[in-house]
Amino acid sequence: MSQLKPFPSHGGSNGITEPVKDHRRRRSSSIISHVEPESFEDENDQQMLPNMNASWVDQRGAWVIHVVLIALLKFFYNLLPGVTNEWSWTLTNTTYVVGSYVMFHLVKGTPFDFNGGAYDNLTMWEQINDGMLYTPARKFLISVPIALFLVSTHYARYDLQLFVLNFCLTTFVAVVPKLPVTHRLRVTIPGITSPAQIK
């Protein structure tokens, strides 16, 4: 959008006007945006040192921690009075799925300041295995919520309401954000949220 600005003149207030470009960034009307590839400098910074924020997923014992967390969540919900076995599994699934979404798909950057901010625009899921798809770690991380959904559904005795709840949470919060089609996409709800990661 252009504005007219009076052109300075030496004789009086009847100066000539010329259009001045507005350098403000236009807002996108789309709620889905794609993260641009890293600049040359960011790529160099990423390759200087290993990414401690995402390299742990390939280390020994990293996969076992998911099973341990699920077992601890199940044990915790079993201790709550009035919570049936069906709801205990559903709450375990819900907590794990939402927690993993926040950890892998919502929070961007790293807690360490050794790469000069090269990962500030990437979620942990995008940092795992340097963004390569279909690695063993990624396959494992997408299989865990699916397996937990199947176990939760079985122990909920295939109750329709709990099945729908578990299915929607697992599909839209745990599986879809990890699919290649949603890689490096952000969903923004104008006026409500800042850009949040789908995947």
Side-chain angles (χ1 to χ4, degrees), residues 37-84:
E38 282 74 39
S39 66
F40 180 73
E41 292 82 14
D42 284 343
E43 284 183 1
N44 282 340
D45 288 343
Q46 290 173 2
Q47 294 170 3
M48 293 292 276
L49 295 169
N51 185 359
M52 307 268 302
N53 189 47
S55 61
W56 64 270
V57 297
D58 293 319
Q59 295 177 0
R60 176 180 286 175
W63 294 8
V64 176
I65 195 68
H66 293 273
V67 178
V68 171
L69 284 173
I70 290 168
L72 289 174
L73 286 170
K74 178 68 171 97
F75 179 72
F76 171 75
Y77 286 122
N78 281 343
L79 294 177
L80 296 179
V83 177
T84 63

Side-chain angles (χ1 to χ4, degrees), residues 18 25 87 155:
E18 70 173 8
R25 193 174 181 181
W87 273 102
Y155 283 106

Side-chain angles (χ1 to χ4, degrees), residues 143-154:
S143 330
V144 171
I146 294 171
L148 183 57
F149 161 72
L150 295 173
V151 170
S152 300
T153 302
H154 173 73

Side-chain angles (χ1 to χ4, degrees), residues 30-36 101 105-106 108 121-123 125-126 176-177 179-188 195-199:
S30 175
I31 63 169
I32 298 177
S33 60
H34 190 270
V35 176
E36 296 300 322
Y101 178 81
H105 305 289
L106 192 62
K108 292 185 279 240
N121 202 29
L122 300 177
T123 64
W125 183 258
E126 294 164 349
V176 170
L179 296 177
V181 71
T182 58
H183 188 64
R184 298 173 72 98
L185 289 183
R186 303 284 189 269
V187 173
T188 306
Q197 171 65 15
I198 283 190
K199 155 103 181 55

Side-chain angles (χ1 to χ4, degrees), residues 111-194:
F112 315 105
D113 191 22
F114 59 86
N115 292 90
Y119 296 101
D120 286 353
N121 202 29
L122 300 177
T123 64
M124 186 172 180
W125 183 258
E126 294 164 349
Q127 297 173 35
I128 293 173
N129 301 123
D130 296 322
M132 287 176 26
L133 303 174
Y134 306 114
T135 60
R138 287 177 183 260
K139 289 177 183 177
F140 173 79
L141 290 172
I142 202 169
S143 330
V144 171
I146 294 171
L148 183 57
F149 161 72
L150 295 173
V151 170
S152 300
T153 302
H154 173 73
Y155 283 106
R157 299 179 186 168
Y158 302 97
D159 179 86
L160 182 61
Q161 291 176 339
L162 295 180
F163 174 83
V164 169
L165 176 62
N166 284 317
F167 178 79
C168 289
L169 279 170
T170 303
T171 303
F172 299 112
V173 179
V175 175
V176 170
K178 292 177 173 65
L179 296 177
V181 71
T182 58
H183 188 64
R184 298 173 72 98
L185 289 183
R186 303 284 189 269
V187 173
T188 306
I189 302 173
I192 297 176
T193 62
S194 60

